[in-house]
């Protein structure tokens, strides 16, 4: 059974799903070194935002197939290193959207009406109504930076308060923004807003996005809410803006390091209200994200694709269902091409014909690359890291498609080019599921690519097939199936033999020495 390490708190519903397919260990609060010491035993790791899945952790994770991030932001996972190492990273893109949006709105109202400050004052047995007079949000302008899932839900709720909503998001269209939201540029957004709310991922473009210069451009008495990530607002600039009165108040849920350094001046400012990264902390959201990542881990263990992988192309369930059966075919076709080819590979071409040309092809090309590269490189190559490994080896990858093709409903053709020439394989799925190779190295054929196969290239003359059969029989190797392809009688021919066991090197040498056999290769599919 595969082993899963859960290193941050995860809802029990997720643990139960994982336990159906794996042995699950829960070990929360590990340091990086402690995690490095034990991670080598695990096939999957589940984290929230507490665990830092660093390059060092990933290097130590010898068996790791998948990291499940029970939440949205994957800034605590070194995704490029995970990708290089073929570790799939999945998250739960929508499981906590509503929780984070509701928390943002709660922070916005609490900030406007000084609710936390008034509560603290009453706990001190004070009755001070005038001190906590606030502002209405009605008719105020809300600027949303990052109009993705959470930003849109916040916008919707704030419009119902009668706020004017403007938003900056360079990756979203007017149509996707939804009604009543004015898309503006960054400067316009920060200049016009009475309230500014952040819903961006943390990355090199957004780190420090709001600094002293940006506060300077804002309206006097702007209020700012950050339920996205610490570091997107520069902490010193925020403190300065609040102290000068430029910023009337800030509501902050997220910090550059968590837990934060409480000696920081931010925590002494009366009009800064804070929560300890509670955006996603509702029972509903935690159940959603736990189930979401657990199901994906179980899918990956079962050889299925993960629906929300961040280092694989995102596919809709329909597209995934259409391409999934082609993945093993693609990988086996590539392994056959590599088995037959001579020389150093520098180009892989993948051609999609018929119905297959009409669907998303990324995962199929990745499967081809994994099949080509698997036997060539020492590291393990899979759908996640295949493009990175191909690039690092200088292998050119070319995809082409032709939907107007009548010979088969769908046909996949892989051509591997080396310094010695090109090898082409074509394959299809009969009735959408039975794998068939229909052409290999220019020879038409029809065989099922599975198990151990011997591929020989010989001259088409009487007795060759018999001599191969006799030799294998004498060595106790059973032949399960045979296909012979030739272009014309007495011309060059190709023979594919499915055998029940591995053929030892000594027997391979004897086969190669048979008269009329030019080459013979063994391929494991
Ligand atoms: P999302 O991917 O749906 O939305 C992010 C949006 O930001 C996208 O529309 C994207 O186009 C936009 N964007 C990216 N870079 C940008 C840039 N440089 N300038 C402007 N827009 C940019 O993600 P989401 O689910 O809405 O979550 C947003 C972020 O909120 C997450 O990345 C996560 O860090 C954070 N989050 C925090 C909590 C919490 O508990 N506080 C909970 C959930 C999510
Ligand atoms: C997220 O990115 O999903 C949030 O930070 C919430 C969390 O990690 O709990």
């Amino acid at each position: 059974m595969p082993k899963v390490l859960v290193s941050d708190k995860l809802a029990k519903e997720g643990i139960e799903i994982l336990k159906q397919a794996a042995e699950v260990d829960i070990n929360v609060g590990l340091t990086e070194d402690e995690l490095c010491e034990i991670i080598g035993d695990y096939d999957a790791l589940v984290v929230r935002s507490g665990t830092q899945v660093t390059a060092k952790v990933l290097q130590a994770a010898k068996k790791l197939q998948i990291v499940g991030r029970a939440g949205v932001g994957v800034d605590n996972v070194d995704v490029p290193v995970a990708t290089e190492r073929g570790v799939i990273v999945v998250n739960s893109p929508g499981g906590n959207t509503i929780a984070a949006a509701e928390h943002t709105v709660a922070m916005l109202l609490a900030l406007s009406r000084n609710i936390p400050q008034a509560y603290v004052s009453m706990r001190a047995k004070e009755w001070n109504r005038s001190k906590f007079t606030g502002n209405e949000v009605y008719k105020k302008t809300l600027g949303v930076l990052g109009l993705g899932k959470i930003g849109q839900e916040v916008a919707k709720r704030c419009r119902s308060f009668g706020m004017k909503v403007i938003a900056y998001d360079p990756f979203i269209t007017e149509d996707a923004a939804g009604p009543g939201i004015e898309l503006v540029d960054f400067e316009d957004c920060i200049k016009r807003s009475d309230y500014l709310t952040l819903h961006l991922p943390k990355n090199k473009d957004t780190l420090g996005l709001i600094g002293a210069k940006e506060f300077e451009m804002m309206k006097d008495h702007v209020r700012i809410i950050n339920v996205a990530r610490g570091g997107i607002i520069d902490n010193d600039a925020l403190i300065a803006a609040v102290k000068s009165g430029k910023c009337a108040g800030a509501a902050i849920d997220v910090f550059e390091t968590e837990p934060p350094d409480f000696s920081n001046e931010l925590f002494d400012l009366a009009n800064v209200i804070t929560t300890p990264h509670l955006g996603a902390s509702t029972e509903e959201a935690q159940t959603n994200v736990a189930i979401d990542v657990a199901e994906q881990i179980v899918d990956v263990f079962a050889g299925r694709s993960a629906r929300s992988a961040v280092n694989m192309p995102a596919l809709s369930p329909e597209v995934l269902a259409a391409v999934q059966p082609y993945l093993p075919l693609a990988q086996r076709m590539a392994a056959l091409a590599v088995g037959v080819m001579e020389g150093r590979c520098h180009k892989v071409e993948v051609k999609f014909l018929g119905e297959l040309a009409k669907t998303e092809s990324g995962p199929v090309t990745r499967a081809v690359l994994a099949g080509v590269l698997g036997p060539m490189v020492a590291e393990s190559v899979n759908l996640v890291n295949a493009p990175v490994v191909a690039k690092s080896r200088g292998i050119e990858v070319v995809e082409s498609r032709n939907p107007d093709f009548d010979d088969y409903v769908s046909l996949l053709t892989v051509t591997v080019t080396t310094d010695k020439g090109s090898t082409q394989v074509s394959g299809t799925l009969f009735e959408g599921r039975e794998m068939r190779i229909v052409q290999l190295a220019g020879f038409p054929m029809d065989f099922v690519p599975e198990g151990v196969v011997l591929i020989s290239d010989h001259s088409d003359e009487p007795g060759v097939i018999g001599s191969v059969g006799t030799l294998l029989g004498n060595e106790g190797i059973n032949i399960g199936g045979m296909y012979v392809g030739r272009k014309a009688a007495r011309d060059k021919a190709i023979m594919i033999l499915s055998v029940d066991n591995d053929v030892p090197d000594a027997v391979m040498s004897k086969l190669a020495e048979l008269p009329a056999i030019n080459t013979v290769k063994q391929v494991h599919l």
Side-chain angles (χ1 to χ4, degrees):
M1 248 198 173
K3 287 184 77 178
V4 180
L5 175 64
V6 177
S7 65
D8 287 321
K9 196 170 176 323
L10 190 75
K12 64 177 186 326
E13 290 82 352
I15 307 275
E16 278 156 20
I17 293 170
L18 291 170
K19 279 187 174 162
Q20 287 165 19
E23 204 180 299
V24 181
D25 291 338
I26 302 169
N27 200 340
V28 175
L30 295 167
T31 63
E32 186 186 43
D33 284 344
E34 286 165 346
L35 183 56
C36 286
E37 251 171 57
I38 61 170
I39 192 68
D41 285 343
Y42 293 96
D43 304 275
L45 172 66
V46 183
V47 301
R48 270 185 76 189
S49 54
T51 303
Q52 299 301 308
V53 188
T54 60
K56 190 172 161 192
V57 170
L58 290 160
Q59 309 289 359
K62 301 293 178 217
K63 295 188 348 190
L64 199 66
Q65 292 178 47
I66 175 165
V67 174
R69 162 67 168 101
V72 187
V74 287
D75 44 291
N76 57 324
V77 181
D78 193 328
V79 179
V81 172
T83 306
E84 269 167 33
R85 297 187 60 80
V87 176
I88 190 161
V89 180
V90 301
N91 69 348
S92 172
N96 60 26
T97 302
I98 299 300
E102 288 183 356
H103 193 71
T104 305
V105 174
M107 292 289 258
L108 178 126
L109 293 177
L111 188 63
S112 284
R113 304 302 295 270
N114 302 310
I115 292 170
Q117 296 90 334
Y119 168 76
V120 170
S121 160
M122 281 198 77
R123 295 281 293 199
K125 321 279 185 235
E126 291 169 8
W127 181 257
N128 200 339
R129 296 179 69 198
S130 57
K131 185 174 175 194
F132 299 115
T133 303
N135 288 103
E136 290 171 11
V137 298
Y138 180 62
K139 287 196 171 168
K140 300 290 179 341
T141 298
L142 173 74
V144 181
L145 294 178
L147 194 64
K149 290 179 289 298
I150 298 170
Q152 289 184 29
E153 292 299 330
V154 169
K156 211 188 286 175
R157 283 155 180 74
C158 289
R159 284 191 67 224
S160 76
F161 295 153
M163 295 185 86
K164 156 96 187 141
V165 180
I166 61 175
Y168 166 67
D169 190 322
F171 309 110
I172 207 145
T173 60
E174 295 277 352
D175 279 352
I181 299 173
E182 186 188 340
L183 283 182
V184 295
D185 67 23
F186 177 68
E187 269 197 35
D188 218 13
C189 193
I190 61 172
K191 280 182 178 164
R192 285 172 54 191
S193 299
D194 299 299
Y195 292 80
L196 199 57
T197 184
L198 275 60
H199 301 289
L200 310 150
K202 179 177 175 178
N203 56 37
K204 62 176 180 17
D205 298 325
T206 61
L207 197 65
L209 185 73
I210 306 292
K213 183 168 106 247
E214 288 70 30
F215 274 112
E216 202 45 52
M217 284 190 250
M218 291 179 202
K219 273 188 176 175
D220 288 341
H221 312 301
V222 63
R223 287 184 172 93
I224 192 160
I225 301 119
N226 187 5
V227 181
R229 278 294 179 273
I232 301 180
I233 303 177
D234 180 83
N235 194 57
D236 292 342
L238 173 62
I239 293 171
V242 172
K243 280 170 73 178
S244 71
K246 174 82 184 178
C247 175
I252 310 290
D253 182 49
V254 283
F255 304 88
E256 221 167 333
T257 51
E258 294 183 356
D261 172 6
F262 284 106
S263 66
N264 192 284
E265 205 181 347
L266 188 77
F267 299 99
D268 300 327
L269 298 175
N271 38 359
V272 174
I273 65 172
T274 53
T275 44
H277 202 149
L278 291 185
S281 296
T282 62
E283 283 176 16
E284 295 86 345
Q286 286 315 304
T287 304
N288 291 343
V289 297
I291 292 175
D292 204 354
V293 294
E295 284 180 349
Q296 295 187 73
I297 289 170
V298 171
D299 278 346
V300 167
F301 284 161
R304 296 185 289 268
S305 301
R307 57 179 173 257
S308 311
V310 302
N311 52 358
M312 290 268 290
L315 301 181
S316 68
E318 301 75 48
V319 173
L320 201 56
V323 298
Q324 185 104 26
Y326 282 93
L327 303 184
L329 173 70
Q331 199 145 355
R332 289 175 196 199
M333 286 170 59
L336 276 171
V338 172
V340 175
M341 79 186 196
E342 302 280 345
R344 190 194 303 268
C345 168
H346 60 80
K347 185 172 178 184
V348 176
E349 291 168 85
V350 189
K351 200 178 275 178
F352 301 87
L353 300 155
E355 287 299 309
L356 192 56
K358 298 177 189 161
T359 186
E360 165 65 47
S361 55
V364 178
T365 302
R366 283 169 179 251
V368 168
L369 292 178
V372 170
L373 295 161
M376 285 166 46
V377 301
E379 69 227 67
S380 100
V381 189
N382 59 21
L383 300 192
V384 178
N385 63 353
V388 180
V389 177
K391 196 168 175 212
S392 72
R393 313 265 148 176
I395 296 174
E396 185 189 355
V397 182
V398 180
E399 287 181 323
S400 62
R401 52 190 69 242
N402 178 11
D404 303 321
F405 176 80
D406 298 326
D407 294 0
Y408 295 90
V409 177
S410 286
L411 187 74
L412 181 67
T413 293
V414 173
T415 309
V416 181
T417 303
T418 70
D419 47 354
K420 302 244 166 81
S422 291
T423 305
Q424 195 178 71
V425 190
S426 300
T428 189
L429 292 178
F430 285 170
E431 296 184 356
R433 47 175 207 281
E434 283 174 29
M435 290 188 243
R436 284 291 195 291
I437 301 302
V438 296
Q439 181 266 123
L440 176 60
F443 295 96
M445 56 184 56
D446 177 1
F447 81 95
V448 179
E450 64 187 10
V452 184
V453 295
L454 298 181
I455 304 171
S456 73
D457 141 35
H458 62 271
S459 313
D460 178 38
E461 52 191 65
V464 181
I465 296 169
S467 65
V468 171
T470 307
L471 195 155
L472 290 174
N474 290 341
E475 299 288 344
I477 292 162
N478 195 37
I479 300 174
M482 182 181 76
Y483 188 86
V484 181
R486 60 180 192 175
K487 287 175 189 159
R490 301 288 176 140
D491 198 354
K492 275 182 79 170
I494 194 165
M495 177 162 44
I496 315 284
L497 289 176
S498 307
V499 289
D500 289 352
N501 327 80
D502 260 14
V503 180
D505 289 349
V507 180
M508 289 301 294
S509 304
K510 285 186 193 171
L511 282 171
E513 280 161 17
L514 287 173
I517 296 282
N518 300 322
T519 60
V520 57
K521 295 199 172 157
Q522 177 169 207
V523 181
H524 296 85
L525 297 174

